Amino acid sequence: MAGGPDPVQHFAPLRRELIGLAYRMTGSLATAEDLAQEAFLRWNAADRSEIELPRAWLLKATARLSLDHLKSARHRRESYVGPWLPEPMLATEDAPQQAAHERAQDISVAFLLTLQRLSPAERAVFILHDLFETSFAEIAALLHRSEAACRQLASRARAHLGEAQPRQSVTEEEAQRIARAFMEAAREGREDALRALLAADVVLHTDGGGIRPAARKLIFGADKVSRFFVGLSRKVPPPEALLYLGRLNDLPGYVTLEADGLPQATTLEIVEGRIVAVYVMRNPEKLGALRDRLPG
């Protein structure tokens, strides 16, 4: 039977935080919003007079729902066509964390991809403990494991995440300059301009989800990536419109309306003035939530 504090009053200030947790767990903004809503429904139905710490209760409920979702989505993820990328997210949609961990504010695509390579249990322990300051005792109860086992999961997760280089900050002016220059060079098929923007070891990730054409494998190196975009410019009509130029997952990027009438999100990772990774999201199932949020 429901009871205790007003459910909306306690839930509303935490909603963005819960979405942030679920987004890091699943890589899907739309799913994260659904899971946060489900957590609210459970919170609303719970006997809240017995719950001493509403935030901790809601974080654990959202983590549990995220783990259940990952279990049910496992087959779909394993059979995914081509490279998998997280749903792009406008920078203003980031959820704050309470922890001062150096990764707490990182929603870059590279960091999210590294998170997704962790096991669901490792991911849950790292996110709850290191990013959301949940004790190992509480996590142990949630995962039905000992505290010692949870500490080991966290240690393994940190070791994996330590292999990923923290993103470097880029000024807004430089971010827009490089993003616009890359967009125009790719659209016009100017190979020399592309080479001047790309790092020698750049990696191109394209996610079409088997729904729209996209490279089925990662493409490595400035030569191959440049030639890929030059070839594309000769086969595919240029975008019809630039819908957004700014930050996506806190990285420079842009969203275009392509000739097939669907949006495409391109995110760039930049180190020392050169693009080291290009993430192109073309899967329409992952672009609906972003398009609904675009300014104008």
Side-chain angles (χ1 to χ4, degrees):
M1 180 184 294
D6 177 79
V8 176
Q9 183 181 0
H10 280 79
F11 178 82
L14 297 170
R15 182 175 179 275
R16 289 182 62 230
E17 194 170 12
L18 301 178
I19 291 174
L21 186 157
Y23 177 61
R24 287 166 174 81
M25 285 289 295
T26 66
S28 167
L29 181 56
T31 298
E33 291 178 335
D34 290 344
L35 295 177
Q37 181 62 24
E38 178 61 27
F40 170 74
L41 295 176
R42 296 191 179 195
W43 164 249
N44 189 44
D47 183 358
R48 295 180 299 282
S49 63
E50 299 293 323
I51 300 173
E52 294 183 3
L53 301 171
R55 177 178 177 272
W57 191 96
L58 284 163
L59 286 173
K60 286 188 291 184
T62 304
R64 181 73 265 166
L65 289 165
S66 298
L67 287 168
D68 292 344
H69 171 81
L70 290 173
K71 186 176 181 180
S72 66
R74 181 178 176 185
H75 174 70
R76 190 164 62 249
R77 181 71 67 86
E78 289 175 346
S79 60
Y80 198 81
V81 178
W84 181 95
L85 290 173
E87 285 185 23
M89 186 176 184
L90 294 179
T92 53
E93 294 174 324
D94 189 19
Q97 288 76 43
Q98 301 301 315
H101 191 280
E102 63 178 356
R103 294 289 197 182
Q105 300 300 326
D106 197 343
I107 57 164
S108 68
V109 181
F111 179 62
L112 293 172
L113 285 175
T114 307
L115 272 181
Q116 300 302 313
R117 286 195 283 272
L118 302 177
S119 72
E122 289 173 341
R123 207 180 313 165
V125 172
F126 174 79
I127 292 172
L128 282 171
H129 182 267
D130 285 35
L131 304 189
F132 290 87
E133 297 181 317
T134 303
S135 71
F136 282 121
E138 292 179 280
I139 299 171
L142 172 70
L143 298 181
H144 305 295
R145 302 191 185 206
S146 67
E147 284 189 47
C150 289
R151 291 180 189 278
Q152 288 183 339
L153 287 171
S155 179
R156 287 206 297 267
R158 292 184 197 115
H160 287 301
L161 291 166
E163 297 168 0
Q165 295 297 317
R167 62 187 165 89
Q168 294 189 0
S169 61
V170 180
T171 66
E172 202 57 43
E173 181 180 4
E174 184 181 23
Q176 293 220 5
R177 179 186 65 79
I178 294 177
R180 187 178 289 279
F182 177 80
M183 177 182 66
E184 293 175 352
R187 180 177 59 193
E188 296 165 8
R190 290 187 283 116
E191 188 169 351
D192 288 345
L194 286 167
R195 287 176 185 272
L197 292 165
L198 300 174
D201 56 352
V202 64
V203 183
L204 170 63
H205 309 241
T206 61
D207 181 344
I211 301 173
R212 291 172 80 188
R216 296 291 182 94
K217 296 182 179 179
L218 304 184
I219 298 176
F220 298 90
D223 289 347
K224 290 183 178 179
V225 172
S226 298
R227 289 200 296 270
F228 175 85
F229 283 105
V230 170
L232 204 62
S233 70
R234 293 170 179 165
K235 299 175 184 174
V236 180
E240 294 185 356
L242 173 62
L243 302 177
Y244 173 78
L245 176 67
R247 298 273 179 170
L248 294 169
N249 292 87
D250 210 24
L251 295 173
Y254 55 88
V255 182
T256 49
L257 181 64
E258 297 296 300
D260 61 4
L262 296 173
Q264 172 177 301
T266 302
T267 307
L268 307 173
E269 191 162 351
I270 298 170
V271 175
E272 297 179 350
R274 294 293 184 96
I275 299 169
V276 298
V278 182
Y279 305 98
V280 180
M281 174 55 70
R282 290 177 50 78
N283 185 347
E285 294 181 350
K286 296 182 178 180
L287 289 164
L290 175 68
R291 186 169 188 176
D292 291 342
R293 289 167 169 78
L294 289 176

